[in-house]
Amino acid sequence: MLNRRQLRVKVLQALYAYNHSENKQITAHEKLLLQSVDQVFEMYIWMLSLIVEVVEYAERDAEDSAAKHLPTEADLAPNLKILQNKFILSLLKNPEYLAAIKKYKVDWSFDPEMARSLFYVLKAAPEYQTYLENTDGSIQADKDIIRFIFKKLILKSPTAEQIFEEKFLNWPIDKDPLQAMIAKTFKNFSNEDFAKNKLAELSADWVEDREFLVTLFQQTIRYDQEYQQLIGDKTQNWEADRIALMDTLLMKMAICEFLGFPTIPVKVTINEYLDISKEFSTPKSNSFINGILDKVLSELKEQNKIRKSGRGLIG
């Protein structure tokens, strides 16, 4: 699931693209921003679909084994317990999942070897044999083997990694929220009544988070010159071209939150952007951004421009 920090990163990427684009239509870039968020859900659906593909390959493998020239007794009577896996059966009856498969045109036929290679690794794993021999028919036991397929096979497969990297440009960044969504799905799929099992949501409150996302993006652009002036006054000894664009964008986003988001504590804002700078900017950016934001915040407080609704939100 996408948390606020990951949403801030999405806005940062959109602002960076906006600044490098000749097209300055905010609505066009806002659309791309929302598409970037939607791609996380699309990636989630593709991942669930790959898990289904691996499980369903058990039937194909059984058919191939039975068709051998001299099939063994085991080849003729394979254990296909996994085809009745309750997590998979619940997923395949989930209306939202089925609709998303159609919406995103999910189809693994472009790489038929993907499911085959993953299933053979699964088939040789002791965990799979234990699952087949286990008489526990609970949905929890069924989820455990699916969790194993996801965490120990797919996420550790270089081929799967390459496919997702090629299909989703933000895979390295979006992998964390994807894993959180899969984990949430395992938690959600706990009812023997399949109709009560729900897919994971993009965020804890998408209506509120969407407003945060769009407002942060729009306001940072709308008040760009005002924020630039605040930063420029504190960096007079620095040549403008020596300040990394990423640092400038992070500071402008932080100032936007100082002034335009009354329920977000200033300490939360500062800490969030300092952490983001460690991953997306230069090694020295953290201390530089911290110093400038501290000066900007002091000035805004003196001018009584920080309007936070609630105790402890300003300090």
Side-chain angles (χ1 to χ4, degrees), residues 140 142-152 186:
Q140 182 60 50
D142 281 353
K143 286 194 296 183
D144 286 343
I145 192 63
I146 301 303
R147 187 180 288 107
F148 175 80
I149 292 171
F150 170 64
K151 296 183 70 174
K152 302 300 182 181
F186 287 136

Side-chain angles (χ1 to χ4, degrees), residues 44-226:
Y44 165 65
I45 297 299
W46 273 89
M47 183 60 73
L48 289 175
S49 176
L50 180 55
I51 294 172
V52 172
E53 290 281 318
V54 174
V55 168
E56 291 185 337
Y57 197 87
E59 184 172 11
R60 171 69 182 277
D61 178 66
E63 292 172 352
D64 290 344
S65 296
K68 289 180 181 178
H69 177 59
L70 295 173
T72 64
E73 184 176 336
D75 291 331
L76 296 173
N79 187 336
L80 296 177
K81 174 184 176 180
I82 199 166
L83 295 180
Q84 298 304 314
N85 184 282
K86 292 177 180 178
F87 178 89
I88 298 298
L89 294 179
S90 182
L91 185 62
L92 292 175
K93 290 184 178 181
N94 184 282
E96 187 181 4
Y97 171 75
L98 297 175
I101 289 289
K102 291 181 180 180
K103 174 184 176 182
Y104 298 120
K105 298 180 174 60
V106 179
D107 185 351
W108 285 94
S109 61
F110 71 93
D111 190 349
E113 285 297 305
M114 186 73 261
R116 175 181 177 276
S117 60
L118 288 170
F119 177 76
Y120 283 152
V121 176
L122 172 66
K123 188 177 179 180
E127 290 82 354
Y128 184 58
Q129 296 306 315
T130 300
Y131 167 75
L132 294 179
E133 296 166 5
N134 190 353
T135 58
D136 180 1
S138 69
I139 193 169
Q140 182 60 50
D142 281 353
K143 286 194 296 183
D144 286 343
I145 192 63
I146 301 303
R147 187 180 288 107
F148 175 80
I149 292 171
F150 170 64
K151 296 183 70 174
K152 302 300 182 181
L153 301 188
I154 296 177
L155 289 185
K156 293 185 179 298
S157 165
T159 305
E161 178 94 7
Q162 182 179 353
I163 288 175
F164 278 94
E165 280 186 345
E166 291 175 353
K167 186 166 185 60
F168 300 100
L169 294 178
N170 289 322
W171 165 255
I173 298 171
D174 292 341
K175 187 192 294 188
D176 285 345
L178 164 70
Q179 292 188 60
M181 290 178 75
I182 295 290
K184 183 66 174 178
T185 310
F186 287 136
K187 183 177 180 180
N188 288 354
F189 279 51
S190 299
N191 204 299
E192 298 285 345
D193 181 354
F194 294 165
K196 295 181 179 179
N197 296 329
K198 307 297 181 183
L199 294 186
E201 301 285 347
L202 256 177
S203 73
D205 186 342
W206 176 236
V207 173
E208 183 178 313
D209 286 339
R210 186 187 189 281
E211 182 180 357
F212 169 78
L213 183 87
V214 172
T215 302
L216 181 59
F217 177 72
Q218 292 178 345
Q219 298 289 75
T220 303
I221 294 175
R222 182 169 294 124
Y223 297 105
D224 179 78
Q225 291 304 312
E226 179 181 327

Side-chain angles (χ1 to χ4, degrees), residues 277-313:
S277 72
K278 294 175 184 177
E279 184 175 357
F280 292 93
S281 201
T282 67
K284 296 181 179 180
S285 293
N286 187 270
S287 58
F288 173 72
I289 291 173
N290 190 31
I292 301 303
L293 287 181
D294 186 57
K295 293 177 182 179
V296 170
L297 183 59
S298 295
E299 178 181 327
L300 293 175
K301 285 180 179 179
E302 290 176 3
Q303 297 173 354
N304 200 30
K305 291 184 177 180
I306 303 294
R307 309 285 185 178
K308 297 292 183 179
S309 57
R311 296 181 60 185
L313 297 183

